[in-house]
Amino acid sequence: MTTSDLLQQIRKNLETRRLEIAEYMVDGRVTDLNAYHKNVGIAEGLMQASEVIRETLKKLNEEDV
C-alpha cells in the first residue's frame, strides 16, 4: 500500500464517520443542544481533516509529475 493509498483510505474513513454523525442527527437521536453542538464540531473537524489530506495528496501527486 502506497502513501497515497493510505491517505485516500483515511480520507474515506473520515467521510464515512462524518456521514454517520449526520445520519445520527437527522434520525433525531441528539438528546440536547450540547450534544448537537458537539456533533457539529466533530463533523467540522472531520471535514477539515479530510481537506488537509486532499491537499496533501494533491501536493504528493504534483511532486510525482
Side-chain angles (χ1 to χ4, degrees):
M1 179 177 269
T2 67
T3 301
S4 291
D5 293 339
L6 180 61
L7 289 173
Q8 287 173 352
Q9 185 61 47
I10 291 169
R11 191 163 180 240
K12 180 181 173 184
N13 292 346
L14 291 173
E15 182 62 18
T16 299
R17 181 64 183 128
R18 189 184 68 78
L19 291 174
E20 288 170 356
I21 291 170
E23 184 178 317
Y24 178 83
M25 293 172 69
V26 168
D27 287 347
R29 292 184 267 171
V30 177
T31 56
D32 59 26
L33 189 58
N34 286 334
Y36 171 81
H37 286 292
K38 178 182 175 184
N39 284 326
V40 169
I42 291 170
E44 177 65 25
L46 292 171
M47 285 188 338
Q48 288 179 14
S50 182
E51 182 61 22
V52 168
I53 292 171
R54 187 191 68 74
E55 291 171 4
T56 302
L57 282 167
K58 184 179 175 183
K59 288 178 184 177
L60 286 172
N61 289 334
E62 288 173 356
E63 289 174 5
D64 288 342
V65 174

